[in-house]
Amino acid sequence: MEDAHDAKINEDETVAVFGVFDGHGGQQCAEYLSNHLTKYIFKRLIHLQDASRYNSSSSGKVSSNQQVLKILKDSFFKMDHDLSNSQSYINCGSTSVVVAIFNNKIYVANTGDSRCIISTNEGNSKTLSFDQKPSVIGERVRIENSNGYVINNRVNEVLALSRAVGDFKFKTPYLTSTLNKYILDNITEMYKKGQQEQSNSKSGSSGSNKSSSNNNNNNNNNNNSKSSLSNNTSNSSPPSLQISDHEYIHIPPELFQVTVEPEILIFDMNELQTPEFIVIACDGIWDCFKNDQLIKLIRDKLVLGWKLNKIVEYILNDSLTMANNYTGIGLDNMTLIIVALHPGKSLDDWYSDMIFKIEKEKGLH
């Protein structure tokens, strides 16, 4: 198995970070994230909390939301950059779903197709992350704009994810050719502008040879344009612009075929009712259970007096019984974290309240 996980919680449980990492192509990337990403985010959130307590002004409270978002995004990009410096991580990658609880808010940063859901106060499932697949239109647009393609719901027929940590073969920071119409139009205009400026400068300095210089420049311009654009004008496919070495089209990490940039969703427990619990899991679990099914299963076991560690063990074993060599269900990486949310009361009180609440829903009280 190539998956890993980690959890960091401070003493008064006001700051917590949980992470699930589903590796592919090897376990090195997932293990690196479990050893470094959650710890790095946790330390920065603790530092932010200390700074907020020191500066209790209203402006500091307002900006903390932006600061947490920046910490999460910067942390993902830092991990990816650090991994890129080692040859041993080139051929492997990992999804990453990180849940941070800070200022009584739940922040979920997701890269890949691992998933986070919550059980609302009413016992319903609510999604706090979205699977990032190449078939999603926004992901596909980014992939194709970076000269990638999607076949069989895979990036370049290889990777079933559109975002991941690692997988550096899909993270070229520049393009040497492109079929993107927007880039083609802009680069062509840039060439025309540069050629015009060059023509004007030569014509201004040539004096009596002005007319012959213009003729030569016009011929050169025609030759350059013919060599720059591939001769596909007679074909139905759009022309591909070949870029010289000193004019590479540089693209930021957010626009790579497979980007590490996380999508972040926020659940504000200051404005909404506190959920019963959080579920964070690899896609191997979600292949076996739908969101509603898993929430119902967990609640059904809680009302019987089961503890969370026993429920996790049961779900993992139940997933293994669904193993199917044809579909692949039950054979993928499986990591599951259930986080009980019990502000202002102990975990034992939370268990008792959940039993009473679910029994009441079933008409037993």
Side-chain angles (χ1 to χ4, degrees):
M1 308 304 285
E2 301 169 327
D3 46 342
H5 67 282
D6 190 33
K8 294 283 186 290
I9 308 172
N10 68 340
E11 290 184 2
D12 59 3
E13 298 186 355
T14 56
V15 178
V17 181
F18 307 91
V20 167
F21 314 103
D22 186 357
H24 49 267
Q27 61 184 5
Q28 303 97 316
C29 190
E31 288 183 348
Y32 183 91
L33 293 173
S34 69
N35 292 329
H36 295 87
L37 179 56
T38 48
K39 180 170 66 175
Y40 183 77
I41 292 174
F42 181 74
K43 286 183 176 179
R44 295 191 66 185
L45 289 178
I46 291 294
H47 179 74
L48 178 61
Q49 184 185 62
D50 293 341
S52 299
R53 287 173 176 172
Y54 179 77
N55 180 17
S56 60
S57 63
S58 59
S59 60
K61 293 178 181 179
V62 172
S63 64
S64 65
N65 206 43
Q66 271 185 328
Q67 290 172 326
V68 174
L69 294 178
K70 187 176 187 304
I71 287 173
L72 291 172
K73 282 200 174 185
D74 289 351
S75 300
F76 274 67
F77 280 110
K78 182 185 186 311
M79 294 298 116
D80 206 46
H81 178 267
D82 292 347
L83 286 171
S84 68
N85 294 323
S86 174
Q87 292 290 329
S88 60
Y89 295 101
I90 289 180
N91 295 317
C92 69
S94 176
T95 72
S96 179
V97 57
V98 172
V99 176
I101 299 177
F102 185 80
N103 277 352
N104 208 34
K105 297 177 184 178
I106 303 172
Y107 297 84
V108 180
N110 180 49
T111 292
D113 60 358
S114 294
R115 191 182 306 168
C116 173
I117 65 174
I118 60 172
S119 175
T120 65
N121 190 59
E122 295 79 23
N124 301 315
S125 67
K126 183 178 180 63
T127 304
L128 286 189
S129 69
F130 296 97
D131 301 350
Q132 294 157 350
K133 297 285 193 178
S135 56
V136 177
I137 185 62
E139 302 296 297
R140 183 163 188 163
V141 168
R142 188 193 71 250
I143 293 166
E144 293 181 348
N145 281 349
S146 303
N147 281 358
Y149 60 93
V150 177
I151 294 181
N152 296 328
N153 292 326
R154 291 177 177 268
V155 181
N156 299 347
E157 300 182 71
V158 177
L159 192 62
L161 307 170
S162 57
R163 302 192 189 198
V165 181
D167 290 310
F168 297 109
K169 293 183 293 185
F170 302 92
K171 295 179 177 177
T172 305
Y174 56 85
L175 304 178
T176 56
S177 65
T178 181
L179 293 175
N180 184 282
K181 185 177 184 300
Y182 177 81
I183 296 177
L184 277 173
D185 291 343
N186 280 271
I187 294 297
T188 303
E189 287 299 318
M190 182 187 72
Y191 280 162
K192 288 181 178 178
K193 183 178 179 181
Q195 291 165 359
Q196 184 63 41
E197 290 176 352
Q198 184 182 18
S199 175
N200 292 339
S201 64
K202 285 186 177 181
S203 63
S205 61
S206 61
S208 59
N209 295 327
K210 178 178 180 180
S211 59
S212 61
S213 175
N214 284 338
N215 289 334
N216 291 333
N217 282 328
N218 289 334
N219 292 332
N220 289 335
N221 290 342
N222 291 333
N223 292 333
N224 288 337
S225 62
K226 289 178 182 178
S227 61
S228 297
L229 296 174
S230 59
N231 297 323
N232 292 333
T233 54
S234 60
N235 300 331
S236 58
S237 60
S240 174
L241 184 63
Q242 301 298 325
I243 311 300
S244 59
D245 290 345
H246 62 284
E247 290 172 332
Y248 287 142
I249 304 169
H250 291 270
I251 55 176
E254 293 86 349
L255 299 182
F256 289 166
Q257 292 176 17
V258 175
T259 180
V260 72
E261 182 182 18
E263 286 184 339
I264 302 176
L265 295 180
I266 305 173
F267 187 94
D268 191 347
M269 294 184 288
N270 299 305
E271 303 293 334
L272 302 170
Q273 288 184 310
T274 302
E276 296 174 340
F277 52 85
I278 306 171
V279 180
I280 317 160
C282 294
D283 65 324
I285 298 294
W286 305 114
D287 289 339
C288 300
F289 298 96
K290 295 182 179 179
N291 295 355
D292 293 334
Q293 288 177 326
L294 193 57
I295 294 298
K296 183 179 184 303
L297 174 59
I298 295 171
R299 298 178 94 245
D300 286 346
K301 297 304 179 184
L302 283 171
V303 76
L304 296 177
W306 287 32
K307 302 303 181 184
L308 289 180
N309 58 334
K310 185 178 179 181
I311 295 174
V312 168
E313 183 179 353
Y314 175 85
I315 293 172
L316 294 176
N317 287 330
D318 197 26
S319 300
L320 291 174
T321 64
M322 303 180 192
N324 186 311
N325 289 324
Y326 180 74
T327 63
I329 290 176
L331 299 173
D332 201 357
N333 294 335
M334 295 179 188
T335 292
L336 172 67
I337 297 177
I338 304 175
V339 182
L341 297 172
H342 51 94
K345 57 185 175 184
S346 68
L347 181 59
D348 289 336
D349 289 339
W350 179 83
Y351 278 119
S352 300
D353 291 347
M354 287 297 297
I355 293 173
F356 180 82
K357 180 181 180 181
I358 298 171
E359 286 180 344
K360 188 175 181 180
E361 292 174 359
K362 295 179 180 293
L364 301 178
H365 286 293

